Amino acid sequence: TQLLEQSPQFLSIQEGENLTVYCNSSSVFSSLQWYRQEPGEGPVLLVTVVTGGEVKKLKRLTFQFGDARKDSSLHITAAQPGDTGLYLCAGVNYGGSQGNLIFGKGTKLSVKP
Amino acid sequence: ETGVTQTPRHLVMGMTNKKSLKCEQHLGHNAMYWYKQSAKKPLELMFVYNFKEQTENNSVPSRFSPECPNSSHLFLHLHTLQPEDSALYLCASSQLSGTDNSPLHFGNGTRLTVT
């Protein structure tokens, strides 16, 4: 069974701090997606990383796909209360059923003002 | 309305009740999905419909019955549920284009409590 392990499970920080969350697997994925889910809402796609070693930036968020396409990280600079939410990574299998993403359990981030 | 809309937002039902969850997408996508989100577990894919045809059924108990009358609407019919079925049920859609990277667009979910 393919698994995506996300760490840490919970993270509570003060506004202005930096943080990194991780998404790791023993399996290789063709691409990896990051979603953010705010309380009472569904997940919203932040980014898709496709190429091994790829780095993508979305304002204060930096996403990296591992060279071996087995892991990914999300770094947030100068976190703000609006960054609070559940961060989910989801791996796309090579040749897998379309739409059959493998999700991690998520990292629950709380940014206090 | 835009995006993916789910109703109701909250549902409390007894184990002998029959109820239905509704999902509608206004994005022109060709695939729709039901996911189950429980505390401390990854999102679990339940059903996939591609051009109205069911293409995935991940060993879901028969007390959950999906229906997709057209590419914009998706239902989940619930019957004789168990308390462990209490969870957030998320509907999603995507545009399948021959690659595996199609992102999912989720609704805000139905919070189901089975008593």
Side-chain angles (χ1 to χ4, degrees), chain A residues 9 30-31 33 35 37 40-43 45 48 50 86 88 92-101 103-105, chain B residues 9 33 35 37 40-43 45 48 50 56 58 88 90 96-104 106-109:
Chain A
Q9 192 175 350
S30 68
S31 64
Q33 300 171 0
Y35 292 81
Q37 183 176 17
E41 298 184 7
L45 179 74
T48 300
V50 180
L86 178 69
L88 297 164
V92 181
N93 284 319
Y94 279 104
S97 302
Q98 287 181 314
N100 198 350
L101 300 176
F103 278 89
K105 293 182 184 180
Chain B
R9 291 296 308 272
Y33 313 78
Y35 278 88
Q37 188 173 36
K40 300 182 182 179
K41 285 179 143 184
L43 274 169
L45 178 66
V48 181
N50 185 345
E56 296 277 347
N58 283 3
L88 181 68
L90 289 162
L96 298 178
S97 58
T99 70
D100 295 327
N101 298 333
S102 309
L104 297 173
F106 287 91
N108 287 334

